[in-house]
Amino acid sequence: MVNLRSQKRLAAAVAGVGKRKIWLDPAEQAEIGNANSRSHVKKLIKDGRVIIKPTVIHSRARTRDLLAAKRKGRHTGPGKRKGTAEARLPTKVQWMRRQRVLRRLLRKYREAGKIDKHLYHSCTKNRRRVLMEYIHKAKAEKNRTKILTDQMEARRGKNKVGFQVLKIAFSIPTFLGYSRPSCQKAGREAASDSCGGARGSCSGVKWFMYIHDFILTCLVLHLIALMLCSHASTIAHTLHHAFYFSSFSLS
């Protein structure tokens, strides 16, 4: 019997497969034994005297069917389980999957402009529902703070205007040549005359100044309200009354 070991090795090298995949025709052993080069082996393969066996097929059809059934929940009972629940699906893997989903959602919101970078970095919730509630609550609180700030700024501007008006109104008597000490002196003299010359023994001075300040304050507040409402004619009328009251209280 002819030894065809070298011919099988050459045929495997030429075909690029293993030696177990090479079939040599038993009826052509003499001719195959004379082949001592690669070109000669190629000619034998072309003539069909040396055959390359086909690849053995290992079907995965049954495996695919089983996996499809497991996805539906079949074949997963206690008798099919090997290993503890932690070994089968570690809590660390669950945590990583959950965090990746939430962070992907946050990136999507940030790119869409629904949240800013500050809110993005402050979101550290572990549940989707809790995260959504936190985002809505934070945005509502931010809007509320902005509205309150705007209201405070507007109120501060109004107060500033009011203070300017008060400053101008209370500087009118000084501008006209009158001052509070002179008012107090005039009030004391009037009260002392009414009390028979007993200075300090009557409270007329105090009440006189209280009434004077109260009426003047009411006029100034009315003037501020009219200025805020922009009634020019009524403002002029009120200023006339304020001038009249100031001169009357000093006479």
Side-chain angles (χ1 to χ4, degrees):
M1 184 177 180
V2 181
N3 187 1
L4 304 176
R5 184 181 300 172
S6 59
Q7 284 76 13
K8 180 176 283 192
R9 180 182 60 77
L10 281 173
V14 168
V17 295
K19 288 187 288 185
R20 69 185 186 90
K21 292 289 185 179
I22 300 298
W23 179 83
L24 303 177
D25 190 356
E28 303 291 341
Q29 288 186 5
E31 187 177 355
I32 294 172
N34 294 328
N36 55 5
S37 64
R38 288 174 176 267
S39 59
H40 200 170
V41 170
K42 287 180 181 180
K43 186 175 183 302
L44 292 175
I45 293 174
K46 185 177 180 180
D47 295 340
R49 291 177 174 79
V50 176
I51 297 176
I52 301 170
K53 296 180 183 178
T55 304
V56 177
I57 297 175
H58 186 188
S59 176
R60 284 191 54 82
R62 292 182 297 275
T63 304
R64 284 194 293 268
D65 294 341
L66 179 62
L67 293 177
K70 283 188 175 183
R71 281 193 292 271
K72 295 180 180 179
R74 279 71 162 164
H75 316 292
T76 55
K80 291 289 186 178
R81 299 174 191 170
K82 298 292 181 66
T84 61
E86 179 69 20
R88 289 165 62 86
L89 184 60
T91 54
K92 182 177 180 180
V93 174
Q94 297 179 16
W95 173 266
M96 289 190 300
R97 291 178 181 176
R98 188 184 306 129
Q99 292 302 309
R100 285 169 183 170
V101 169
L102 296 178
R103 289 169 184 171
R104 197 179 304 121
L105 177 67
L106 284 176
R107 282 197 300 271
K108 180 180 176 182
Y109 279 1
R110 183 180 62 180
E111 292 170 358
K114 295 182 179 179
I115 60 175
D116 55 2
K117 60 181 181 180
H118 305 290
L119 185 56
Y120 173 82
H121 285 289
S122 64
C123 291
T124 57
K125 309 304 176 185
N126 302 328
R127 297 289 187 276
R128 184 188 180 95
R129 181 177 59 82
V130 178
L131 178 64
M132 299 295 293
E133 291 178 357
Y134 175 78
I135 290 175
H136 291 312
K137 189 181 295 184
K139 291 177 71 174
E141 184 65 24
K142 184 178 179 181
N143 293 335
R144 178 174 172 274
T145 305
K146 186 176 183 299
I147 292 173
L148 291 177
T149 305
D150 295 341
Q151 290 178 354
M152 289 177 63
E153 289 294 332
R155 194 177 296 116
R156 192 175 291 115
K158 276 188 177 181
N159 292 341
K160 188 174 181 181
V161 173
F163 288 145
Q164 293 294 332
V165 173
L166 279 174
K167 185 176 179 181
I168 294 172
F170 281 112
S171 65
I172 290 174
T174 307
F175 178 75
L176 295 176
Y178 306 111
S179 60
R180 186 173 179 82
S182 63
C183 295
Q184 292 178 351
K185 183 177 180 182
R188 272 199 212 95
E189 290 176 357
S192 116
D193 292 339
S194 64
C195 294
R199 218 179 257 191
S201 61
C202 183
S203 60
V205 177
K206 186 195 307 183
W207 286 108
F208 178 80
M209 296 309 301
Y210 283 167
I211 293 171
H212 175 271
D213 291 344
F214 175 74
I215 295 175
L216 189 58
T217 304
C218 290
L219 288 172
V220 171
L221 291 176
H222 185 55
L223 179 64
I224 294 171
L226 292 173
M227 290 185 71
L228 293 177
C229 296
S230 301
H231 295 291
S233 59
T234 316
I235 290 172
H237 188 64
T238 307
L239 281 173
H240 174 72
H241 281 290
F243 287 136
Y244 175 74
F245 178 70
S246 300
S247 62
F248 174 75
S249 62
L250 296 172
S251 59

Coordinates of all heavy atoms in Angstrom, one line a residue, residues 90-128:
P90 N -26.3 40.1 38.6 CA -25.8 40.9 39.7 C -26.5 42.3 39.9 O -26.9 42.9 38.9 CB -24.3 41.1 39.4 CG -24.0 40.0 38.4 CD -25.2 39.8 37.6
T91 N -26.6 42.7 41.1 CA -27.2 44.0 41.4 C -26.4 45.1 40.8 O -26.9 46.2 40.5 CB -27.4 44.2 42.9 OG1 -26.1 44.0 43.5 CG2 -28.4 43.2 43.4
K92 N -25.1 44.9 40.7 CA -24.2 45.9 40.1 C -24.5 46.2 38.6 O -24.6 47.3 38.1 CB -22.7 45.5 40.2 CG -21.7 46.5 39.7 CD -20.3 46.1 39.9 CE -19.3 47.1 39.4 NZ -17.9 46.7 39.6
V93 N -24.8 45.1 37.9 CA -25.2 45.2 36.5 C -26.5 45.9 36.4 O -26.7 46.8 35.5 CB -25.2 43.8 35.9 CG1 -25.8 43.9 34.4 CG2 -23.9 43.1 35.9
Q94 N -27.5 45.6 37.3 CA -28.8 46.3 37.3 C -28.6 47.8 37.5 O -29.2 48.6 36.8 CB -29.7 45.7 38.3 CG -30.0 44.2 38.1 CD -30.9 43.7 39.2 OE1 -31.5 44.4 40.0 NE2 -31.0 42.4 39.3
W95 N -27.7 48.1 38.5 CA -27.4 49.5 38.8 C -26.8 50.2 37.6 O -27.2 51.4 37.3 CB -26.5 49.6 40.0 CG -26.0 51.0 40.3 CD1 -24.9 51.6 39.9 CD2 -26.7 51.9 41.1 NE1 -24.8 52.8 40.4 CE2 -25.9 53.1 41.1 CE3 -27.9 51.9 41.8 CZ2 -26.3 54.2 41.8 CZ3 -28.3 53.1 42.5 CH2 -27.5 54.2 42.5
M96 N -25.9 49.6 36.9 CA -25.2 50.2 35.8 C -26.2 50.5 34.6 O -26.2 51.5 34.0 CB -24.0 49.4 35.3 CG -22.8 49.4 36.2 SD -21.4 48.6 35.5 CE -22.0 47.0 35.2
R97 N -27.1 49.5 34.4 CA -28.1 49.7 33.3 C -29.0 50.8 33.6 O -29.4 51.6 32.8 CB -28.8 48.3 33.1 CG -28.0 47.2 32.5 CD -28.8 45.9 32.4 NE -28.0 44.9 31.9 CZ -28.4 43.6 31.7 NH1 -29.6 43.3 32.1 NH2 -27.6 42.7 31.2
R98 N -29.5 50.8 34.9 CA -30.4 51.9 35.3 C -29.8 53.3 35.2 O -30.4 54.2 34.7 CB -30.9 51.6 36.7 CG -32.0 52.5 37.2 CD -32.4 52.3 38.6 NE -32.6 50.9 38.9 CZ -32.1 50.2 39.8 NH1 -31.2 50.7 40.6 NH2 -32.4 48.9 40.0
Q99 N -28.5 53.4 35.7 CA -27.9 54.7 35.6 C -27.6 55.1 34.2 O -27.7 56.3 33.8 CB -26.6 54.7 36.4 CG -26.7 54.5 37.9 CD -27.5 55.6 38.5 OE1 -27.3 56.8 38.2 NE2 -28.6 55.2 39.2
R100 N -27.3 54.2 33.3 CA -27.0 54.6 31.9 C -28.3 55.0 31.2 O -28.3 56.0 30.4 CB -26.5 53.4 31.2 CG -25.0 53.1 31.5 CD -24.5 51.8 31.0 NE -23.1 51.5 31.4 CZ -22.5 50.4 31.3 NH1 -23.1 49.3 30.7 NH2 -21.2 50.2 31.7
V101 N -29.4 54.4 31.6 CA -30.7 54.9 31.0 C -31.0 56.3 31.5 O -31.4 57.2 30.7 CB -31.8 53.9 31.4 CG1 -33.2 54.5 31.1 CG2 -31.7 52.6 30.7
L102 N -30.9 56.6 32.8 CA -31.2 57.9 33.3 C -30.2 58.9 32.8 O -30.7 60.1 32.4 CB -31.1 57.8 34.9 CG -32.2 56.9 35.5 CD1 -32.0 56.9 37.0 CD2 -33.6 57.4 35.2
R103 N -29.0 58.6 32.7 CA -28.0 59.6 32.2 C -28.2 59.9 30.7 O -28.0 61.0 30.2 CB -26.6 59.1 32.4 CG -26.2 59.2 33.9 CD -25.0 58.5 34.2 NE -24.7 58.5 35.7 CZ -23.8 57.8 36.3 NH1 -22.9 57.0 35.5 NH2 -23.6 57.8 37.6
R104 N -28.6 58.8 30.0 CA -29.0 59.1 28.6 C -30.2 60.0 28.4 O -30.2 60.9 27.6 CB -29.3 57.7 27.9 CG -29.2 57.7 26.4 CD -29.5 56.4 25.8 NE -28.6 55.4 26.3 CZ -29.0 54.3 27.0 NH1 -30.2 54.0 27.2 NH2 -28.0 53.4 27.4
L105 N -31.1 59.8 29.3 CA -32.3 60.7 29.3 C -31.9 62.1 29.7 O -32.4 63.1 29.0 CB -33.3 60.2 30.3 CG -34.6 61.0 30.5 CD1 -35.4 61.0 29.2 CD2 -35.4 60.5 31.7
L106 N -31.0 62.3 30.7 CA -30.6 63.6 31.0 C -29.9 64.3 29.9 O -30.0 65.5 29.7 CB -29.7 63.6 32.3 CG -30.5 63.3 33.6 CD1 -29.5 63.2 34.7 CD2 -31.4 64.4 33.9
R107 N -29.0 63.6 29.2 CA -28.3 64.2 28.1 C -29.2 64.6 27.0 O -29.1 65.6 26.4 CB -27.3 63.2 27.5 CG -26.0 63.0 28.4 CD -24.9 62.4 27.6 NE -25.3 61.0 27.2 CZ -25.1 59.9 27.9 NH1 -24.5 60.0 29.1 NH2 -25.4 58.7 27.5
K108 N -30.3 63.8 26.8 CA -31.3 64.1 25.8 C -32.0 65.4 26.1 O -32.2 66.3 25.3 CB -32.2 63.0 25.6 CG -33.3 63.2 24.6 CD -34.3 62.0 24.6 CE -35.4 62.2 23.6 NZ -36.4 61.0 23.6
Y109 N -32.4 65.5 27.4 CA -33.1 66.8 27.9 C -32.1 68.0 27.8 O -32.6 69.1 27.4 CB -33.5 66.6 29.3 CG -34.8 65.8 29.4 CD1 -35.5 65.3 28.3 CD2 -35.4 65.6 30.7 CE1 -36.6 64.6 28.4 CE2 -36.6 64.8 30.8 CZ -37.2 64.4 29.7 OH -38.3 63.7 29.8
R110 N -30.9 67.8 28.1 CA -29.9 68.9 28.1 C -29.7 69.4 26.6 O -29.7 70.6 26.3 CB -28.6 68.5 28.7 CG -27.6 69.7 28.8 CD -26.3 69.2 29.4 NE -25.7 68.2 28.6 CZ -24.5 67.6 28.9 NH1 -23.9 68.0 30.0 NH2 -24.0 66.7 28.2
E111 N -29.6 68.4 25.7 CA -29.4 68.8 24.3 C -30.6 69.5 23.7 O -30.5 70.3 22.8 CB -29.0 67.6 23.5 CG -27.6 67.0 23.8 CD -27.3 65.7 23.2 OE1 -28.3 65.2 22.5 OE2 -26.2 65.1 23.4
A112 N -31.8 69.0 24.2 CA -33.1 69.6 23.7 C -33.4 71.0 24.3 O -34.3 71.6 23.9 CB -34.2 68.7 24.0
G113 N -32.6 71.4 25.4 CA -32.8 72.6 26.0 C -33.9 72.6 27.1 O -34.3 73.7 27.6
K114 N -34.3 71.4 27.5 CA -35.4 71.4 28.5 C -34.8 71.6 29.9 O -35.5 72.1 30.8 CB -36.0 70.0 28.5 CG -36.8 69.7 27.3 CD -37.5 68.4 27.3 CE -38.3 68.1 26.1 NZ -39.0 66.8 26.1
I115 N -33.5 71.3 30.1 CA -32.8 71.6 31.4 C -31.5 72.3 31.1 O -30.9 72.1 30.0 CB -32.6 70.4 32.2 CG1 -31.8 69.3 31.5 CG2 -33.9 69.8 32.7 CD1 -31.4 68.1 32.3
D116 N -31.0 73.1 32.0 CA -29.7 73.7 31.8 C -28.6 72.9 32.4 O -28.8 71.8 33.0 CB -29.7 75.1 32.4 CG -30.1 75.1 33.9 OD1 -30.3 74.0 34.4 OD2 -30.1 76.2 34.5
K117 N -27.3 73.3 32.3 CA -26.2 72.5 32.8 C -26.2 72.4 34.3 O -25.7 71.4 34.9 CB -24.9 73.1 32.3 CG -24.6 74.5 32.7 CD -23.3 75.0 32.2 CE -23.0 76.4 32.6 NZ -21.8 77.0 32.1
H118 N -26.7 73.5 35.0 CA -26.7 73.4 36.5 C -27.7 72.3 37.0 O -27.4 71.6 37.9 CB -27.1 74.8 37.0 CG -26.2 75.9 36.5 ND1 -24.9 76.0 36.9 CD2 -26.4 76.9 35.6 CE1 -24.3 77.0 36.3 NE2 -25.2 77.6 35.5
L119 N -28.9 72.3 36.4 CA -29.9 71.3 36.8 C -29.4 69.9 36.3 O -29.7 68.9 37.0 CB -31.2 71.6 36.1 CG -32.4 70.7 36.5 CD1 -32.6 70.7 38.0 CD2 -33.7 71.2 35.8
Y120 N -28.7 69.8 35.2 CA -28.1 68.5 34.8 C -27.2 68.0 35.8 O -27.2 66.8 36.1 CB -27.4 68.7 33.4 CG -26.7 67.5 32.9 CD1 -27.4 66.5 32.3 CD2 -25.3 67.4 33.1 CE1 -26.7 65.4 31.8 CE2 -24.7 66.3 32.6 CZ -25.3 65.3 32.0 OH -24.7 64.2 31.6
H121 N -26.3 68.8 36.4 CA -25.3 68.3 37.3 C -25.9 68.1 38.7 O -25.3 67.3 39.5 CB -24.2 69.3 37.5 CG -23.3 69.3 36.3 ND1 -22.4 68.2 36.0 CD2 -23.1 70.1 35.3 CE1 -21.7 68.4 34.9 NE2 -22.1 69.6 34.4
S122 N -27.1 68.7 39.0 CA -27.7 68.5 40.3 C -28.7 67.3 40.3 O -29.2 66.9 41.4 CB -28.5 69.7 40.7 OG -29.6 69.9 39.8
C123 N -28.9 66.6 39.2 CA -29.8 65.5 39.2 C -29.1 64.2 39.5 O -28.2 63.7 38.8 CB -30.4 65.3 37.8 SG -31.6 66.6 37.3
T124 N -29.4 63.7 40.7 CA -28.7 62.5 41.2 C -29.7 61.4 41.6 O -29.4 60.6 42.5 CB -27.8 62.8 42.4 OG1 -28.5 63.4 43.4 CG2 -26.6 63.7 41.9
K125 N -30.9 61.4 41.1 CA -31.9 60.5 41.5 C -31.7 59.1 40.8 O -31.1 59.0 39.7 CB -33.3 61.0 41.1 CG -33.6 62.5 41.6 CD -33.4 62.6 43.1 CE -33.5 64.0 43.6 NZ -33.2 64.2 45.0
N126 N -32.3 58.1 41.4 CA -32.0 56.7 41.0 C -33.2 56.1 40.3 O -33.1 55.0 39.8 CB -31.6 55.8 42.2 CG -30.4 56.4 42.9 OD1 -29.5 57.0 42.2 ND2 -30.3 56.2 44.2
R127 N -34.4 56.8 40.2 CA -35.5 56.3 39.6 C -36.0 57.3 38.6 O -35.9 58.5 38.8 CB -36.7 56.0 40.6 CG -36.3 55.0 41.7 CD -36.3 53.6 41.1 NE -36.1 52.5 42.1 CZ -35.0 52.2 42.6 NH1 -33.9 52.7 42.2 NH2 -34.9 51.2 43.5
R128 N -36.6 56.7 37.5 CA -37.0 57.6 36.4 C -38.1 58.5 36.8 O -38.1 59.7 36.6 CB -37.4 56.8 35.2 CG -37.8 57.6 34.0 CD -38.4 56.7 32.9 NE -38.8 57.5 31.7 CZ -38.0 57.6 30.7 NH1 -36.8 57.1 30.6 NH2 -38.5 58.3 29.6

